[in-house]
Amino acid sequence: MKDLTPDPKSLDPIEIASRDEITALQRDRLKWSLRHAYDNVPHYRASFDAAAVHPDDLTDLSDLARFPLTTKQDLRANYPFGMFSVPRDQVARIHASSGTTGQPTVVGYTQRDLDTWGNVVARSLRAAGLRPGDLLHNAYGYGLFTGGLGIHLGADALGLTTVPVSGGMTPRQVRLITDFQPKGITVTPSYALSVLDAFRADGLDPRDSSLQVGIFGAEPWTNAMRAEIEEAFDMHAVDIYGLSEVMGPGVSMECVETKDGLHIWEDHFFPEIINPETGEPVADGEMGELVFTSLTKEAFPIIRYRTRDLTRLLPGTARSMRRMEKVTGRSDDMIILRGVNVFPTQIEECLLATPGFAPHFQIELTRAGRMDAMTIHCEGTGDSTALANRIKQSLGVTVSVTTGPTGTVERSQGKAVRILDRR
Ligand code: DLL
C-alpha cells in the first residue's frame, strides 16, 4: 500500500492548532449556538426554561452539562420543520433519515451550513490521503440520505474529480472502477463487500484495481473487517463517521497515516460522552454514549444530541482535535440475549477470526417459549461448530450457526441489516 500521508502544509491551521486555541474558539461558538437555538427554536426555549438554564449561564465549556439533552423523540415531535431556526426560504437543502424505525427525521442547511459541511468533508477526504485532482468513486446513496451528497460537497470543495455513481447496480460499479481508474472509493463497508464479490464474479483480482483508499462509514465495522478489506483490495481502509442530525458524513474522520480512531472536527461539533443510564457526563477515556452540540450550524442547531452511539473520547494524535474510538455499535442494536449484552460488531470479530467464512452475516433472533435464541447466518465452508465455540468463549453466549454458499446472506446496497428480530 502506498504512503498517502497528506502534506502538513495542506491542512487547515485549526486541525493542528493548540488545545487552548481550540477551546477558546469552542467557548465563543458554543455561546453563539446556545443563544441562536434559544432565540429561534421554540423547543429549545421551552426545554432550557424547564431546566432553568439560560444561554448566558455558560461561561465555561463544562457548563454545557447543565443544559438539557435532545433526543430523536424531540426531533420527531417537531416534524417536519419545527426545529429549524431560520425562515424556511433561507433553507438551501433538506435531508432526512430513512425513517425505517418510525417517522423520518428532517434536517435543514443554509448555504453557509452547506459550505461548512463541504469544508469538513474536504478535510476528511484529505485526511484519507486524497488530493486535488484525484478521482473519487462515490458509491454512497444519493438522495435524502446524507452520504452521497455530503461526500459530493466535500469532493467538490477539495477539488477532486467525482464519479457520482451512488449505490446499487453492482456489476456496473466494477466496470466503472476498472474503466475510470479511481484512486478512492466512498462506500459503506458492507456494500464494499458486495462490490468485492462482483469483482471476483467477473474473474478480476480486486488487488489489481486502481483503488488506493476506501473511506468507509455509515454503519459500524471492526478493525478485523479493516484487515479483511485492506488485504482483499490492497488499499487503505479508513473510517468516516457522521449523522444527519449533526450534519452528515464528516463529523469525524480517521487519518490514513495513523488509523487510530476518528478525529472529531471539534471546531464545528462539540462532543461529550454520557452514561447512557444516568445521562451524566463521564471523563474522557471512559466508554459511554456520544452526545454532540453543533457550534456553527445556522438552519438546524442541535444541542446535546444523544446519538445512541457507544464509544469513548481519546486525545489527539495526527491532529490536535480529540479522537473517538471506532463505534462499537448503537445502544438500539445491543442484543440482550439471556442477560448477556451482544453487539453485531462482536459477532463480526468472531466470524472474521474463524477460517473459511465470507465476511457477510446476519443475526436472527427467535423465541421458543420464554427462551430467546440467536442464530448467525453466514456463508462459506468454515466450521460452524468452531464459530459457535469462539462466540461462546469470547462473548459467553450459546448461538447456532448456519452457513451456505455465496449469496445466502441478504446483501445491502447501503447500510447492512444485521439483526432480524423475529421475537
Ligand atoms: O450514516 C452519515 C454518514 C454517511 C456517515 C456516510 C458516514 C458515511 P445517518 O443515516 O443519519 O447518517 O446515520 C447515522 O449511522 O448515528 C451511527 O449509528 C451510524 N454510523 C455512521 N457512521 C458510522 C461509523 C449517516 N463510521 C448513524 N461507524 C450514526 C459506526 C456509524 N457507525
Side-chain angles (χ1 to χ4, degrees), residues 84-97:
F84 289 11
S85 54
V86 297
R88 220 279 304 126
D89 64 359
Q90 286 174 37
V91 175
R93 175 84 66 79
I94 288 182
H95 279 284
S97 72

Side-chain angles (χ1 to χ4, degrees), residues 172-391:
R172 187 182 71 170
Q173 305 267 354
V174 175
R175 196 167 66 240
L176 297 186
I177 293 170
T178 309
D179 293 348
F180 296 176
Q181 305 274 299
K183 177 173 166 185
I185 182 169
T186 37
V187 62
T188 60
S190 59
Y191 190 52
L193 296 176
S194 302
V195 174
L196 182 63
D197 287 347
F199 261 93
R200 290 181 175 148
D202 269 5
L204 298 168
D205 183 352
R207 293 180 62 88
D208 296 337
S209 86
S210 59
L211 292 170
Q212 292 179 36
V213 62
I215 298 159
F216 301 111
E219 61 187 4
W221 58 298
T222 59
N223 282 317
M225 184 67 86
R226 186 206 308 275
E228 179 91 15
I229 293 176
E230 289 193 333
E231 172 63 25
F233 278 104
D234 187 28
M235 69 173 179
H236 296 278
V238 284
D239 198 354
I240 185 164
Y241 169 91
L243 63 166
S244 344
E245 295 88 337
V246 173
M247 190 63 112
V251 170
S252 65
M253 179 70 202
E254 198 166 48
C255 293
V256 71
E257 65 271 39
T258 42
K259 295 182 189 157
D260 59 352
L262 302 93
H263 288 275
I264 297 166
W265 302 130
E266 279 194 82
D267 50 339
H268 296 288
F269 315 109
F270 186 79
E272 298 170 88
I273 300 288
I274 61 166
N275 174 324
E277 261 100 65
T278 64
E280 289 302 315
V282 303
D284 283 12
E286 280 183 46
M287 284 296 295
E289 179 181 338
L290 183 60
V291 166
F292 275 111
T293 299
S294 64
L295 298 178
T296 54
K297 279 210 304 174
E298 293 180 335
F300 191 87
I302 189 99
I303 309 298
R304 303 198 79 211
Y305 184 66
R306 292 189 67 155
T307 64
R308 304 261 160 210
D309 295 323
L310 303 172
T311 182
R312 60 192 182 126
L313 294 177
L314 301 165
T317 50
R319 306 288 185 275
S320 341
M321 301 196 191
R322 278 175 292 176
R323 286 165 303 148
M324 53 187 262
E325 198 169 60
K326 239 174 169 336
V327 172
T328 317
R330 296 175 59 77
S331 51
D332 320 348
D333 283 347
M334 188 178 79
I335 302 160
I336 307 179
L337 188 73
R338 303 189 291 270
V340 183
N341 298 347
V342 179
F343 285 99
T345 48
Q346 295 174 302
I347 301 292
E348 182 174 298
E349 276 170 355
C350 292
L351 177 71
L352 294 177
T354 315
F357 289 104
H360 309 279
F361 70 100
Q362 272 188 324
I363 300 168
E364 186 180 5
L365 300 171
T366 49
R367 178 170 293 159
R370 267 195 268 131
M371 282 289 271
D372 283 347
M374 190 193 281
T375 308
I376 318 296
H377 296 289
C378 26
E379 288 176 8
T381 51
D383 177 354
S384 303
T385 314
L387 175 55
N389 286 344
R390 187 183 296 273
I391 292 173

Side-chain angles (χ1 to χ4, degrees), residues 379-423:
E379 288 176 8
T381 51
D383 177 354
S384 303
T385 314
L387 175 55
N389 286 344
R390 187 183 296 273
I391 292 173
K392 173 81 188 168
Q393 266 163 25
S394 45
L395 310 181
V397 290
T398 303
V399 302
S400 318
V401 173
T402 71
T403 183
T406 306
T408 317
V409 177
E410 191 190 307
R411 299 290 194 271
S412 79
Q413 300 188 339
K415 297 180 192 243
V417 178
R418 291 297 187 205
I419 303 174
L420 303 170
D421 196 341
R422 313 226 190 263
R423 291 175 296 182

